Amino acid sequence: MKQTRTELHFQTSGNLCSKTADWLLSQTKHRPQVAIICGSGLGMLADALKCQDAFHYTDIPGFPQSTVQGHAGRLVFGELKGKTCVCMQGRFHMYEGHSLCKTTFPVRVFKLLGVETLIVTNAAGSLADGLKPGDIMIIKDHVNFPGLGGFNPLNGPNDDKFGPRFPAMSACYNPGLRCLAMDIAKQQGVAELVQEGVYAAVGGPNFETIAEAKLMHRLGVDAVGMSTAPEVVVAVHCGLRVFGISLITNKVVKSYEDRECVNHEGVLEVSKLRSHTLQQLVSELVSRGVLSQQLID
Ligand SMILES: O=P(O)(O)O[C@@H]1C[C@H](O)[C@@H](CO)O1
């Protein structure tokens, strides 16, 4: 039977995921249960990993390349409090020119490595009045604006070996892990910094206009960023358990009277300030979340 270009492209991407996963499995003895994607300026989450095997994206067959400042472009395997993890120091964004298939490619590679839980982190601007720079938002749900407009990483023929054609997205972010993270924040004395909220993904790379900010605020969005939702869609499609955190790096300007202006350097600065707190929270979650998996599902 004759195949369309899209089908051929899709099969090639599916095969590429397997090739990349096989190559990684041949290069490291680590067999990760948990994958962590580090957001802008949050790459030091990987520094907590013991017995590291690290690979530059340029050296990994089939892997896309990072082009954004604050995204080092390394895949780090190692042990975090006795649990085997793989950590992406740098993610891929649509605005870099990658297709959504490429931006989410690592998620399917993680699935093929045997990962069961995906932790996504990002830097985001706050729309909610109660979220200020330096706060940590546990993501309870998302609005995927590119997805609503038809830019979805699952477009094209469905690969049944990863998941169904029409996956449900009503329980993307694991409630048990969200609850556990909140308990850990209390135990670590940082509860006043942490709250749950809704994340919206936009395409970027420009920050929001005031009209766009007002629109999202009215829609009930608490924080906005330029990533994460496509990765989560692909993760949920292939049956990964997902936990997500936004580090609030700036207030989104919502008023024409406000003279403030957001920039990427400021985003990275705030990320750096809070990365230790985030590292402590994520480490404990990995240690206890994996232990209590039966409770969480
Ligand atoms: O990778 P994340 O979502 O953390 O990066 C955010 C969104 C843009 O890429 C950048 C803007 O400063 O940070």
Side-chain angles (χ1 to χ4, degrees):
M1 200 176 32
K2 203 161 174 262
Q3 286 172 308
T4 64
R5 257 172 79 121
T6 332
E7 277 165 350
L8 281 172
H9 165 74
F10 184 74
Q11 282 177 5
T12 315
S13 343
N15 289 342
L16 255 184
C17 291
S18 310
K19 277 194 189 142
T20 303
D22 289 346
W23 184 85
L24 288 166
L25 290 171
S26 74
Q27 301 293 312
T28 177
K29 293 219 164 9
H30 290 298
R31 296 293 177 261
Q33 304 150 277
V34 179
I36 303 168
I37 302 182
C38 301
S40 284
L42 296 170
M44 64 86 84
L45 287 175
D47 295 348
L49 299 187
K50 303 270 184 306
C51 309
Q52 291 191 5
D53 276 338
F55 305 93
H56 287 282
Y57 293 166
T58 40
D59 297 329
I60 306 174
F63 232 65
Q65 304 309 315
S66 274
T67 66
V68 184
Q69 191 198 349
H71 292 259
R74 281 184 355 138
L75 190 64
V76 186
F77 290 77
E79 304 286 324
L80 192 55
K81 298 215 170 167
K83 304 290 170 304
T84 309
C85 298
V86 56
C87 194
M88 275 178 78
Q89 279 184 320
R91 64 148 55 84
F92 310 114
H93 308 83
M94 205 166 80
Y95 64 74
E96 291 172 81
H98 301 298
S99 66
L100 280 170
C101 190
K102 280 265 177 198
T103 64
T104 56
F105 177 85
V107 176
R108 286 191 166 172
V109 172
F110 294 152
K111 176 73 182 179
L112 297 176
L113 293 179
V115 162
E116 292 170 349
T117 304
L118 176 69
I119 299 179
V120 281
T121 67
N122 59 56
S126 86
L127 291 153
D129 297 329
L131 277 171
K132 51 186 190 317
D135 282 354
I136 291 169
M137 186 183 88
I138 295 175
I139 306 177
K140 80 168 175 219
D141 202 353
H142 72 227
V143 179
N144 182 13
F145 278 111
L148 294 178
F151 292 96
N152 192 305
L154 301 177
N155 282 351
N158 185 57
D159 190 340
D160 297 334
K161 94 172 172 287
F162 284 109
R165 170 76 288 187
F166 298 109
M169 290 289 149
S170 45
C172 289
Y173 298 88
N174 186 278
L177 287 175
R178 280 161 43 203
C179 195
L180 184 57
M182 205 54 109
D183 286 347
I184 292 170
K186 281 182 199 145
Q187 284 154 19
Q188 292 183 339
V190 292
E192 78 281 1
L193 298 178
V194 183
Q195 56 185 287
E196 285 202 332
V198 173
Y199 173 87
V202 295
N206 61 280
F207 292 103
E208 296 64 44
T209 64
I210 289 172
E212 287 163 351
K214 283 172 181 259
L215 172 78
M216 284 191 271
H217 184 51
R218 282 201 198 127
L219 289 177
V221 171
D222 297 301
V224 57
M226 304 174 194
S227 67
T228 304
E231 295 153 2
V232 171
V233 166
V234 170
V236 171
H237 176 252
C238 69
L240 297 182
R241 187 183 298 113
V242 174
F243 175 76
I245 279 190
S246 292
L247 175 64
I248 303 302
T249 51
N250 56 284
K251 281 238 159 228
V252 177
V253 180
K254 298 200 291 274
S255 149
Y256 292 103
E257 279 70 55
D258 197 335
R259 290 268 158 258
E260 262 184 63
C261 218
V262 56
N263 61 66
H264 187 56
E265 289 65 37
V267 166
L268 295 180
E269 231 165 79
V270 179
S271 295
K272 216 196 281 170
L273 283 179
R274 268 291 178 259
S275 53
H276 180 71
T277 311
L278 220 57
Q279 193 187 65
Q280 300 286 102
L281 185 63
V282 169
S283 303
E284 194 59 21
L285 186 74
V286 167
S287 145
R288 287 169 49 188
V290 175
L291 268 182
S292 50
Q293 242 163 43
Q294 285 88 341
L295 291 176
I296 281 162
D297 287 326

